[in-house]
Amino acid sequence: MVSEQPDNAAALAALQWLIDAGADEAIGALPCDRTALPEKKAARRNPPAPRQGEESSAVAAAPPGNPAAASPSSPNPSSRGRAAANLASASETQADAQRLAMAAGSVEDIRAALEEFEGCPLKATATNLCLYDGNPEARMMIIGEAPGAQEDRQGKPFVGPAGQMLDRMLAAIGLDRSQVYITNLLYWRPPGNRNPTPAEIAACLPFLERQIELLSPRLLLLTGGMSAKTLLNRSEGILRLRGRWDDYRHPRRDQPIPALPTLHPAYLLRQPAQKREAWRDLLSFAEAMEREGLEPVKPAPAESS
Ligand code: URA
């Protein structure tokens, strides 16, 4: 007789296999076979062969006088309907984000608005909202990509290994977290640290724009390609963008804000030879601070004993 007892050793081995494959977060209580096609999709991929004398449904659905619609590759009316519904829901999400962000009058209001916002699906899998760290009074803003595992646990950006690297980079030009405001493009961790989708970035962008509008930073440091490309509206990779000052143009401000793209601290941890380039960027940032009269607060001299 087959035993109904769960096989703990097999379950543990399966779990270990998942961990070795890179899974680091459980996002559901039950396993889910994502390779299985939902019934409808499977039926579309493998439509029953038309019987002799019958037209295929795509040809039969072609409206009179519109042969293009009869082409097997053109979307059928229901997929066009779905695309239109997706567009409508994306624009509703945008409108919702915009309305909530614009009603916020402070960073803490933005936090409350994000708690209320349901337009970013990452919220469902994240543990905590990560809005900012540092000083909302600071005139320099650092913008990263998205929270990682430790940020998700602690509810603050840049507190994991990349954050420690960022601290060392700031210290190299005489700064610490009390002199900068640190945030991200996204406020919830993408599962397994996958890249954010354009829809997730678009849903979160109004909240970043509102932070910039409320805090009026004088300089921006954009760490990594995702934030540099999004905020500067560029398509080049970070290795091309880094080290070149550009103007960030806020949708509701006349004055552009000088922005410097640089390498992401997490990238520097993987590619230490690139620290030389990051160091050049930091020196350039320090020069801009001096030009703007934003001198770092010098650390108090150590007391002699
Ligand atoms: N990487 C980021 O871009 N942001 C964080 O908060 C942590 C890691």
Side-chain angles (χ1 to χ4, degrees):
M1 201 179 87
V2 179
S3 156
E4 294 291 317
Q5 288 301 311
D7 180 345
N8 286 344
L12 282 175
L15 188 58
Q16 189 59 52
W17 183 87
L18 285 169
I19 292 167
D20 292 344
D24 61 354
E25 207 81 43
I27 60 169
L30 293 173
C32 152
D33 181 359
R34 294 189 193 279
T35 61
L37 284 175
E39 260 171 42
K40 275 195 192 153
K41 271 197 194 156
R44 247 185 287 131
R45 283 217 185 145
N46 306 310
R51 281 196 299 266
Q52 200 109 56
E54 270 181 4
E55 291 172 308
S56 83
S57 59
V59 175
N66 183 2
S71 140
S73 62
S74 68
N76 64 30
S78 66
S79 74
R80 258 186 265 131
R82 266 198 305 279
N86 285 346
L87 261 183
S89 91
S91 72
E92 267 168 37
T93 299
Q94 278 292 296
D96 215 23
Q98 199 69 33
R99 177 183 58 77
L100 287 164
M102 288 305 290
S106 68
V107 175
E108 287 315 314
D109 287 351
I110 292 181
R111 187 189 298 285
L114 283 165
E115 302 280 8
E116 194 182 320
F117 181 54
E118 294 301 337
C120 180
L122 295 174
K123 189 176 189 178
T125 49
T127 310
N128 281 304
L129 164 69
C130 297
L131 178 56
Y132 83 95
D133 197 21
N135 182 355
E137 305 281 313
R139 312 317 306 273
M140 290 160 284
M141 187 181 278
I142 299 173
I143 305 173
E145 295 183 358
Q150 300 220 23
E151 288 76 18
D152 183 48
R153 258 174 240 130
Q154 294 186 39
K156 272 188 199 172
F158 282 104
V159 291
Q164 286 152 21
M165 181 72 200
L166 178 63
D167 286 341
R168 292 199 289 278
M169 292 164 73
L170 293 176
I173 51 170
L175 292 174
D176 63 29
R177 286 187 186 226
S178 69
Q179 293 156 305
V180 293
Y181 180 89
I182 304 173
T183 188
N184 279 315
L185 272 186
L186 295 186
Y187 306 105
W188 296 277
R189 181 193 183 204
N193 296 345
R194 66 156 168 75
N195 282 338
T197 65
E200 289 157 357
I201 295 176
C204 292
L205 197 56
F207 298 97
L208 178 59
E209 288 172 348
R210 189 64 178 150
Q211 285 170 86
I212 296 175
E213 190 171 21
L214 290 172
L215 304 182
S216 292
R218 301 260 293 278
L219 297 175
L220 301 179
L221 184 67
L222 310 177
T223 62
M226 200 79 74
S227 61
K229 287 199 263 188
T230 304
L231 292 174
L232 301 175
N233 200 16
R234 306 289 294 249
S235 56
E236 299 96 315
I238 188 63
L239 293 177
R240 268 186 182 277
L241 294 176
R242 64 140 283 276
R244 300 189 195 170
W245 283 92
D246 204 337
D247 281 339
Y248 164 69
R249 297 186 178 275
H250 191 281
R252 293 179 293 277
R253 278 177 55 139
D254 293 337
Q255 280 295 313
I257 305 176
L260 182 68
T262 191
L263 301 172
H264 194 285
Y267 175 75
L268 296 176
L269 289 174
R270 295 192 301 273
Q271 302 283 339
Q274 298 281 349
K275 284 183 191 166
R276 204 170 58 153
E277 309 303 329
W279 174 235
R280 289 206 181 110
D281 301 347
L282 289 169
L283 287 181
S284 169
F285 196 79
E287 276 168 25
M289 278 165 37
E290 204 173 325
R291 260 198 318 273
E292 295 280 325
L294 301 169
E295 289 284 319
V297 176
K298 305 254 176 340
E303 278 176 25
S304 53
S305 52

